[in-house]
């Protein structure tokens, strides 16, 4: 590899408009647990099922340190007859929800780095989950921004951001591309089991983005 210095020349952060506090989450979960226990009272009394325990704000904060989380779509999550976010279906010609939040963070990173689409040689979308396996979310973002070159997704669980950053560093360092747009659109709320006391509070939604390039081209 060359001796070129590689820098993060711009970054962007997108957070949803909606939040769910611990108090809201606990109220909804406990109401659902009471409903479940009532509906399965006979099985619970016979020892065939275990009763669902209550949660509390104190339990969540002690277990995680979390007091509130951002969420992309709040509707449906606190509804004890649903207990999951409600997403409007989008057509094949529309931007996916994950590409939408990735794009919001990417635009901020490009502006901070003083870069245009023509300056970017590759787009990496790296996160814990993608909305689908193919086509890549990165391809959607690349097309929406008008970036030529190439793009791909990486799924590396909790290490997604660091792995994406390191891959971009390697490409710039090797001279494969001049600048890389790395995006981490974590749309995790649809994956959460809001009926599980021990994990329903852990994750929220967010998107971050970075422009990685050589120090000699950073403006």
């Amino acid at each position: 590899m060359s001796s070129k210095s590689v820098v993060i020349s711009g970054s962007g952060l997108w957070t949803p408009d909606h939040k769910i506090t611990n108090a809201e989450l606990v109220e909804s979960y406990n109401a659902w647990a009471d409903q479940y226990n009532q509906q399965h009272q006979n099985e619970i009394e016979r020892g065939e099922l275990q009763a669902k325990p209550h949660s509390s704000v104190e339990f969540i904060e002690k277990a995680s340190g979390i007091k509130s989380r951002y969420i992309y779509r709040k509707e449906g999550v606190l509804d004890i007859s649903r207990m999951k976010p409600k997403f409007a279906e989008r057509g094949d010609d529309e931007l996916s929800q994950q590409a939408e939040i990735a794009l919001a963070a990417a635009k901020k990173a490009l502006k901070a780095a003083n870069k245009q689409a023509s300056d970017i040689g590759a787009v990496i979308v790296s996160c814990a989950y993608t909305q689908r396996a193919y086509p890549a979310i990165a391809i959607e973002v690349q097309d929406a921004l008008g970036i030529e070159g190439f793009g791909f997704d990486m799924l590396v669980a909790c290490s997604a951001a660091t792995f994406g950053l390191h891959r971009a560093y390697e490409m710039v360092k090797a001279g494969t591309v001049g600048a890389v747009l790395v995006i981490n659109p974590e749309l995790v709320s649809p994956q959460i089991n809001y009926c599980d006391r021990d994990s329903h509070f852990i994750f929220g939604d967010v998107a971050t983005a970075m422009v990685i390039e050589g120090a000699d081209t950073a403006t």
Side-chain angles (χ1 to χ4, degrees):
M1 289 188 177
S2 71
S3 59
K4 175 191 289 190
S5 295
V6 180
V7 300
I8 299 173
S9 60
S11 63
L13 169 67
W14 171 88
T15 51
D17 295 330
H18 308 291
K19 289 183 179 181
I20 295 181
T21 66
N22 288 347
E24 290 177 293
L25 208 57
V26 166
E27 181 181 2
S28 172
Y29 168 80
N30 286 350
W32 174 86
D34 288 341
Q35 176 183 264
Y36 176 93
N37 292 339
Q38 184 177 9
Q39 290 173 343
H40 298 88
Q41 183 177 353
N42 293 335
E43 296 98 317
I44 292 170
E45 290 176 351
R46 291 196 298 266
E48 297 170 1
L49 288 176
Q50 285 197 346
K52 298 295 182 181
H54 271 196
S55 186
S56 70
V57 170
E58 293 76 20
F59 166 75
I60 292 175
E61 291 188 13
K62 183 177 181 180
S64 67
I66 299 169
K67 295 185 177 181
S68 180
R69 73 280 303 139
Y70 286 102
I71 189 164
Y72 178 66
R73 287 287 180 266
K74 188 173 182 176
E75 183 184 2
V77 174
L78 304 177
D79 180 354
I80 65 171
S81 65
R82 181 178 175 85
M83 300 297 278
K84 56 186 176 182
K86 190 173 185 179
F87 283 67
E89 187 174 353
R90 293 188 176 182
D92 292 341
D93 58 342
E94 294 181 280
L95 203 66
S96 69
Q97 286 91 346
Q98 196 164 23
E100 176 185 281
I101 70 173
L103 194 61
K107 288 179 177 178
K108 291 183 178 182
L110 289 170
K111 183 178 181 180
N114 193 29
K115 287 286 180 281
Q116 305 298 320
S118 57
D119 298 315
I120 304 298
V123 177
I124 300 175
V125 166
S126 189
C127 48
Y129 301 98
T130 49
Q131 200 165 350
R132 57 167 186 274
Y134 56 85
I137 304 299
I139 300 299
E140 271 196 286
V141 175
Q142 183 183 2
D143 179 66
L145 290 173
I147 294 173
E148 297 183 3
F150 59 96
F152 58 89
D153 292 348
M154 296 176 66
L155 277 74
V156 204
C158 293
S159 295
T162 52
F163 272 65
L165 175 61
H166 191 264
R167 187 69 193 93
Y169 166 83
E170 291 176 325
M171 288 194 288
V172 174
K173 190 77 171 175
T176 306
V177 293
V180 183
L181 177 61
V182 182
I183 317 169
N184 316 113
E186 295 293 0
L187 188 60
V188 187
S189 56
Q191 305 289 338
I192 296 172
N193 181 2
Y194 290 97
C195 299
D196 179 26
R197 185 200 68 156
D198 294 336
S199 65
H200 71 126
F201 52 83
I202 295 176
F203 297 113
D205 301 318
V206 70
T208 59
M210 295 173 284
V211 174
I212 313 300
E213 63 177 315
D216 58 331
T217 62
T219 55

